[in-house]
mmCIF file of all heavy atoms in Angstrom:
data_model
loop_
_atom_site.group_PDB
_atom_site.id
_atom_site.type_symbol
_atom_site.label_atom_id
_atom_site.label_comp_id
_atom_site.label_asym_id
_atom_site.label_seq_id
_atom_site.Cartn_x
_atom_site.Cartn_y
_atom_site.Cartn_z
ATOM 1 N N PRO A 23 122.454 94.091 109.967
ATOM 2 C CA PRO A 23 121.396 94.630 109.113
ATOM 3 C C PRO A 23 121.001 96.021 109.604
ATOM 4 O O PRO A 23 120.939 96.255 110.816
ATOM 5 C CB PRO A 23 120.248 93.631 109.308
ATOM 6 C CG PRO A 23 120.446 93.123 110.704
ATOM 7 C CD PRO A 23 121.940 93.132 110.951
ATOM 8 N N THR A 24 120.774 96.948 108.685
ATOM 9 C CA THR A 24 120.452 98.320 109.099
ATOM 10 C C THR A 24 119.323 98.931 108.284
ATOM 11 O O THR A 24 119.088 98.560 107.137
ATOM 12 C CB THR A 24 121.684 99.247 108.966
ATOM 13 O OG1 THR A 24 122.117 99.258 107.593
ATOM 14 C CG2 THR A 24 122.828 98.803 109.854
ATOM 15 N N LEU A 25 118.665 99.885 108.907
ATOM 16 C CA LEU A 25 117.713 100.780 108.242
ATOM 17 C C LEU A 25 117.599 102.028 109.118
ATOM 18 O O LEU A 25 117.043 101.970 110.211
ATOM 19 C CB LEU A 25 116.340 100.118 108.070
ATOM 20 C CG LEU A 25 115.254 101.036 107.475
ATOM 21 C CD1 LEU A 25 115.652 101.498 106.068
ATOM 22 C CD2 LEU A 25 113.893 100.342 107.442
ATOM 23 N N ASN A 26 118.188 103.113 108.652
ATOM 24 C CA ASN A 26 118.152 104.389 109.372
ATOM 25 C C ASN A 26 118.661 104.251 110.814
ATOM 26 O O ASN A 26 117.942 104.491 111.778
ATOM 27 C CB ASN A 26 116.734 104.966 109.359
ATOM 28 C CG ASN A 26 116.232 105.242 107.947
ATOM 29 O OD1 ASN A 26 117.013 105.624 107.072
ATOM 30 N ND2 ASN A 26 114.947 105.022 107.718
ATOM 31 N N GLU A 27 119.910 103.872 110.925
ATOM 32 C CA GLU A 27 120.508 103.590 112.233
ATOM 33 C C GLU A 27 121.574 104.617 112.635
ATOM 34 O O GLU A 27 122.475 104.301 113.406
ATOM 35 C CB GLU A 27 121.132 102.190 112.224
ATOM 36 C CG GLU A 27 120.154 101.060 112.046
ATOM 37 C CD GLU A 27 119.318 100.787 113.287
ATOM 38 O OE1 GLU A 27 119.454 101.540 114.270
ATOM 39 O OE2 GLU A 27 118.529 99.830 113.266
ATOM 40 N N GLU A 28 121.482 105.836 112.135
ATOM 41 C CA GLU A 28 122.527 106.817 112.420
ATOM 42 C C GLU A 28 122.637 107.158 113.909
ATOM 43 O O GLU A 28 123.697 107.586 114.371
ATOM 44 C CB GLU A 28 122.304 108.111 111.622
ATOM 45 C CG GLU A 28 121.082 108.912 112.029
ATOM 46 C CD GLU A 28 120.960 110.214 111.254
ATOM 47 O OE1 GLU A 28 121.740 110.434 110.315
ATOM 48 O OE2 GLU A 28 120.068 111.025 111.596
ATOM 49 N N ARG A 29 121.603 106.932 114.672
ATOM 50 C CA ARG A 29 121.650 107.240 116.096
ATOM 51 C C ARG A 29 122.427 106.181 116.876
ATOM 52 O O ARG A 29 123.236 106.505 117.750
ATOM 53 C CB ARG A 29 120.232 107.351 116.676
ATOM 54 C CG ARG A 29 120.218 107.882 118.106
ATOM 55 C CD ARG A 29 118.838 107.832 118.710
ATOM 56 N NE ARG A 29 118.451 106.465 119.059
ATOM 57 C CZ ARG A 29 117.344 106.144 119.728
ATOM 58 N NH1 ARG A 29 116.491 107.086 120.069
ATOM 59 N NH2 ARG A 29 117.067 104.891 120.012
ATOM 60 N N ASP A 30 122.178 104.903 116.586
ATOM 61 C CA ASP A 30 122.761 103.820 117.383
ATOM 62 C C ASP A 30 124.044 103.241 116.809
ATOM 63 O O ASP A 30 124.915 102.787 117.564
ATOM 64 C CB ASP A 30 121.746 102.683 117.556
ATOM 65 C CG ASP A 30 120.566 103.093 118.411
ATOM 66 O OD1 ASP A 30 120.803 103.583 119.521
ATOM 67 O OD2 ASP A 30 119.416 102.923 117.977
ATOM 68 N N LEU A 31 124.174 103.236 115.489
ATOM 69 C CA LEU A 31 125.305 102.565 114.851
ATOM 70 C C LEU A 31 126.672 103.092 115.315
ATOM 71 O O LEU A 31 127.604 102.288 115.482
ATOM 72 C CB LEU A 31 125.188 102.658 113.328
ATOM 73 C CG LEU A 31 126.196 101.836 112.520
ATOM 74 C CD1 LEU A 31 126.104 100.357 112.851
ATOM 75 C CD2 LEU A 31 125.969 102.055 111.019
ATOM 76 N N PRO A 32 126.848 104.402 115.527
ATOM 77 C CA PRO A 32 128.176 104.879 115.947
ATOM 78 C C PRO A 32 128.692 104.229 117.224
ATOM 79 O O PRO A 32 129.897 103.969 117.339
ATOM 80 C CB PRO A 32 127.959 106.391 116.137
ATOM 81 C CG PRO A 32 126.849 106.724 115.190
ATOM 82 C CD PRO A 32 125.931 105.533 115.249
ATOM 83 N N GLU A 33 127.805 103.937 118.166
ATOM 84 C CA GLU A 33 128.260 103.338 119.421
ATOM 85 C C GLU A 33 128.728 101.902 119.208
ATOM 86 O O GLU A 33 129.736 101.473 119.785
ATOM 87 C CB GLU A 33 127.167 103.399 120.485
ATOM 88 C CG GLU A 33 127.677 103.123 121.878
ATOM 89 C CD GLU A 33 126.695 103.483 122.977
ATOM 90 O OE1 GLU A 33 125.559 103.899 122.667
ATOM 91 O OE2 GLU A 33 127.070 103.328 124.153
ATOM 92 N N LEU A 34 128.023 101.158 118.363
ATOM 93 C CA LEU A 34 128.479 99.808 118.041
ATOM 94 C C LEU A 34 129.818 99.869 117.320
ATOM 95 O O LEU A 34 130.741 99.101 117.636
ATOM 96 C CB LEU A 34 127.450 99.079 117.175
ATOM 97 C CG LEU A 34 127.895 97.733 116.580
ATOM 98 C CD1 LEU A 34 128.344 96.761 117.664
ATOM 99 C CD2 LEU A 34 126.790 97.125 115.726
ATOM 100 N N MET A 35 129.934 100.773 116.359
ATOM 101 C CA MET A 35 131.190 100.897 115.617
ATOM 102 C C MET A 35 132.346 101.267 116.539
ATOM 103 O O MET A 35 133.464 100.765 116.383
ATOM 104 C CB MET A 35 131.026 101.936 114.500
ATOM 105 C CG MET A 35 130.152 101.474 113.353
ATOM 106 S SD MET A 35 130.837 100.013 112.520
ATOM 107 C CE MET A 35 129.641 99.778 111.211
ATOM 108 N N ALA A 36 132.079 102.128 117.502
ATOM 109 C CA ALA A 36 133.123 102.509 118.456
ATOM 110 C C ALA A 36 133.556 101.314 119.292
ATOM 111 O O ALA A 36 134.750 101.123 119.566
ATOM 112 C CB ALA A 36 132.627 103.638 119.354
ATOM 113 N N SER A 37 132.599 100.483 119.683
ATOM 114 C CA SER A 37 132.953 99.308 120.494
ATOM 115 C C SER A 37 133.683 98.263 119.659
ATOM 116 O O SER A 37 134.501 97.504 120.182
ATOM 117 C CB SER A 37 131.707 98.713 121.165
ATOM 118 O OG SER A 37 130.853 98.084 120.233
ATOM 119 N N LEU A 38 133.426 98.215 118.357
ATOM 120 C CA LEU A 38 134.174 97.315 117.474
ATOM 121 C C LEU A 38 135.599 97.826 117.266
ATOM 122 O O LEU A 38 136.557 97.051 117.241
ATOM 123 C CB LEU A 38 133.461 97.159 116.129
ATOM 124 C CG LEU A 38 132.162 96.350 116.144
ATOM 125 C CD1 LEU A 38 131.459 96.436 114.801
ATOM 126 C CD2 LEU A 38 132.440 94.897 116.501
ATOM 127 N N ALA A 39 135.738 99.136 117.127
ATOM 128 C CA ALA A 39 137.065 99.725 116.948
ATOM 129 C C ALA A 39 137.958 99.493 118.163
ATOM 130 O O ALA A 39 139.184 99.439 118.046
ATOM 131 C CB ALA A 39 136.938 101.222 116.673
ATOM 132 N N ALA A 40 137.324 99.330 119.334
ATOM 133 C CA ALA A 40 138.074 99.152 120.579
ATOM 134 C C ALA A 40 138.399 97.690 120.887
ATOM 135 O O ALA A 40 139.046 97.399 121.897
ATOM 136 C CB ALA A 40 137.282 99.755 121.741
ATOM 137 N N GLN A 41 137.986 96.766 120.029
ATOM 138 C CA GLN A 41 138.198 95.346 120.303
ATOM 139 C C GLN A 41 139.686 94.997 120.357
ATOM 140 O O GLN A 41 140.473 95.432 119.517
ATOM 141 C CB GLN A 41 137.512 94.480 119.250
ATOM 142 C CG GLN A 41 135.997 94.508 119.289
ATOM 143 C CD GLN A 41 135.449 93.968 120.595
ATOM 144 O OE1 GLN A 41 135.698 92.831 120.984
ATOM 145 N NE2 GLN A 41 134.681 94.811 121.283
ATOM 146 N N THR A 42 140.049 94.165 121.314
ATOM 147 C CA THR A 42 141.431 93.708 121.418
ATOM 148 C C THR A 42 141.745 92.673 120.341
ATOM 149 O O THR A 42 142.888 92.546 119.913
ATOM 150 C CB THR A 42 141.695 93.097 122.802
ATOM 151 O OG1 THR A 42 140.763 92.031 123.041
ATOM 152 C CG2 THR A 42 141.527 94.154 123.896
ATOM 153 N N PHE A 43 140.757 91.937 119.891
ATOM 154 C CA PHE A 43 140.879 90.962 118.801
ATOM 155 C C PHE A 43 140.636 91.709 117.491
ATOM 156 O O PHE A 43 139.629 92.423 117.362
ATOM 157 C CB PHE A 43 139.846 89.848 118.997
ATOM 158 C CG PHE A 43 139.848 88.794 117.923
ATOM 159 C CD1 PHE A 43 140.628 87.656 118.065
ATOM 160 C CD2 PHE A 43 139.063 88.927 116.789
ATOM 161 C CE1 PHE A 43 140.623 86.667 117.089
ATOM 162 C CE2 PHE A 43 139.055 87.951 115.811
ATOM 163 C CZ PHE A 43 139.841 86.812 115.959
ATOM 164 N N ARG A 44 141.524 91.564 116.511
ATOM 165 C CA ARG A 44 141.449 92.400 115.321
ATOM 166 C C ARG A 44 141.192 91.643 114.015
ATOM 167 O O ARG A 44 141.023 92.289 112.970
ATOM 168 C CB ARG A 44 142.752 93.197 115.166
ATOM 169 C CG ARG A 44 143.120 94.073 116.341
ATOM 170 C CD ARG A 44 142.020 95.048 116.731
ATOM 171 N NE ARG A 44 141.538 95.838 115.614
ATOM 172 C CZ ARG A 44 140.415 96.557 115.630
ATOM 173 N NH1 ARG A 44 139.641 96.557 116.699
ATOM 174 N NH2 ARG A 44 140.046 97.262 114.589
ATOM 175 N N ASP A 45 141.154 90.321 114.036
ATOM 176 C CA ASP A 45 141.024 89.562 112.788
ATOM 177 C C ASP A 45 139.551 89.441 112.377
ATOM 178 O O ASP A 45 138.966 88.365 112.396
ATOM 179 C CB ASP A 45 141.661 88.183 112.945
ATOM 180 C CG ASP A 45 141.773 87.431 111.623
ATOM 181 O OD1 ASP A 45 141.625 88.069 110.556
ATOM 182 O OD2 ASP A 45 141.996 86.203 111.652
ATOM 183 N N PHE A 46 138.968 90.574 112.036
ATOM 184 C CA PHE A 46 137.552 90.570 111.639
ATOM 185 C C PHE A 46 137.281 91.606 110.558
ATOM 186 O O PHE A 46 138.052 92.545 110.363
ATOM 187 C CB PHE A 46 136.642 90.813 112.852
ATOM 188 C CG PHE A 46 136.751 92.188 113.468
ATOM 189 C CD1 PHE A 46 135.949 93.235 113.029
ATOM 190 C CD2 PHE A 46 137.650 92.443 114.499
ATOM 191 C CE1 PHE A 46 136.039 94.503 113.597
ATOM 192 C CE2 PHE A 46 137.760 93.693 115.082
ATOM 193 C CZ PHE A 46 136.945 94.736 114.627
ATOM 194 N N GLU A 47 136.178 91.399 109.880
ATOM 195 C CA GLU A 47 135.649 92.365 108.919
ATOM 196 C C GLU A 47 134.248 92.748 109.348
ATOM 197 O O GLU A 47 133.589 92.016 110.106
ATOM 198 C CB GLU A 47 135.615 91.770 107.506
ATOM 199 C CG GLU A 47 134.673 90.571 107.373
ATOM 200 C CD GLU A 47 134.545 90.047 105.948
ATOM 201 O OE1 GLU A 47 134.941 90.757 105.004
ATOM 202 O OE2 GLU A 47 133.996 88.927 105.782
#
């Protein structure tokens, strides 16, 4: 869930992009 998260969201997205497990949306 988000509301004006441009400061924090990129770091979460980066950690998701780095996941070794890939079967997710």
